[in-house]
Amino acid sequence: MTEQQNWREETREIITSLLEDGSNPDAEYTIEHHFSGQDFNRLEKAAVDCFKAEFEVTDAEELTLERGQTILCFDAIKEGPLAEEAIMAQIEQLLPIARKYGIEYDGWGTYFEE
């Protein structure tokens, strides 16, 4: 399975789960795309590219993993529908940015909407 297919499958599962739990299919959602890495300069450059791609970008934060490793992370955020094609289009914009700077794209998430 390709990387795109994996993200499409995961996206479909997240959307299905939210809708099955009763989230409003017509609401505007805050889609948060997660990035991580260990090099602040690379993360900062990626954040600038995400901003240029018209995403809202959060400040980098330190996160300590279960094994004690510390990483840096930030989110690239865009408002939109809870629609597979719209979210996949965002992922397709963001994956090349992660690759360009050698950081991780860790997927996306959102919140339940009434």
Side-chain angles (χ1 to χ4, degrees):
M1 194 177 280
T2 68
E3 182 180 32
Q4 289 295 95
Q5 290 170 321
N6 285 334
W7 287 121
R8 184 170 293 281
E9 185 176 311
E10 184 172 321
T11 295
R12 194 173 293 137
E13 288 172 8
I14 292 169
I15 291 170
T16 299
S17 179
L18 280 163
L19 295 176
E20 285 177 352
D21 287 345
S23 195
N24 182 350
D26 300 319
E28 187 86 353
Y29 284 80
T30 301
I31 309 297
E32 297 178 348
H33 298 271
H34 312 296
F35 292 86
S36 65
Q38 295 183 321
D39 184 308
F40 179 80
N41 290 327
R42 288 182 185 191
L43 229 62
E44 185 175 47
K45 289 175 183 175
V48 169
D49 280 8
C50 290
F51 180 78
K52 287 178 181 177
E54 300 183 357
F55 286 82
E56 178 185 335
V57 178
T58 63
D59 291 335
E61 296 180 21
E62 267 190 17
L63 180 66
T64 303
L65 303 176
E66 289 179 12
R67 291 178 250 148
Q69 181 185 16
T70 300
I71 62 169
L72 298 167
C73 54
F74 75 89
D75 291 335
I77 303 167
K78 195 169 263 197
E79 301 289 324
L82 190 64
E84 182 179 334
E85 290 309 316
I87 295 167
M88 285 305 300
Q90 293 174 13
I91 292 170
E92 289 168 9
Q93 278 185 287
L94 297 171
L95 284 175
I97 294 171
R99 284 188 209 108
K100 178 179 177 181
Y101 295 105
I103 63 172
E104 295 295 320
Y105 172 76
D106 295 324
W108 67 274
T110 191
Y111 303 93
F112 183 90
E113 294 290 342
E114 299 273 333

